[in-house]
């Protein structure tokens, strides 16, 4: 599972760096004013958020319909891959082996 841990850390660090870099160049609130005019931007955004929901369904499968799973949904919708990589790192820490990542967690 070390390779999963490596990639989760790599994604987390890369997303923190690129998000910081983008934030220094242009405010997200400015981008929102003109992105609807770009069809590929909209298509990519839909693709991304469908992936976020799909990932969240894995969280629901593992943890059930609970308040923490809904908190993860909000975190994922707001922070994207930053939240997702944190979740993966926490799940790896709890799992005994790779199959543990795909088993439901006991209450």
């Amino acid at each position: 599972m070390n390779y999963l841990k490596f990639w989760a850390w790599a994604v987390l660090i890369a997303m923190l760096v690129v998000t910081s870099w983008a934030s220094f160049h242009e405010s997200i609130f400015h981008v929102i004013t003109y992105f609807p005019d770009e069809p590929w931007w909209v298509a990519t955004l839909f693709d991304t958020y469908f992936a976020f929901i799909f990932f969240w369904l894995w969280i629901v499968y593992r943890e059930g319909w609970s308040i923490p799973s809904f908190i993860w949904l909000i975190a994922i919708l707001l922070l994207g891959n930053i939240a997702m990589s944190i979740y993966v790192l926490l799940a790896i820490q709890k799992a005994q082996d790779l199959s543990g990542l795909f088993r439901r967690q006991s209450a």
Side-chain angles (χ1 to χ4, degrees):
M1 284 202 311
N2 285 337
Y3 64 94
L4 288 176
K5 216 182 280 191
F6 168 81
W7 281 111
W9 275 110
V11 168
L12 178 60
I13 292 166
M15 290 308 302
L16 288 171
V17 168
V18 75
T19 301
S20 298
W21 169 79
S23 295
F24 286 122
H25 282 34
E26 186 173 25
S27 167
I28 187 70
F29 299 109
H30 176 70
V31 174
I32 290 171
T33 62
Y34 64 83
F35 90 83
D37 298 333
E38 301 292 333
W40 278 109
W41 211 102
V42 173
T44 301
L45 195 63
F46 268 79
D47 184 44
T48 300
Y49 276 88
F50 282 131
F52 291 169
I53 298 298
F54 192 64
F55 184 89
W56 176 70
L57 290 172
W58 172 59
I59 293 174
V60 170
Y61 169 77
R62 290 187 81 238
E63 306 202 10
W65 296 94
S66 62
I67 291 172
S69 69
F70 284 102
I71 292 171
W72 278 112
L73 173 62
I74 293 165
I76 291 167
L77 294 177
L78 294 175
L79 300 172
N81 282 298
I82 293 170
M84 291 164 63
S85 59
I86 291 169
Y87 182 85
V88 168
L89 287 167
L90 293 172
I92 288 170
Q93 186 176 352
K94 288 181 186 177
Q96 302 275 329
D97 54 20
L98 186 59
S99 66
L101 291 176
F102 300 98
R103 279 195 291 269
R104 290 179 183 239
Q105 303 301 297
S106 55

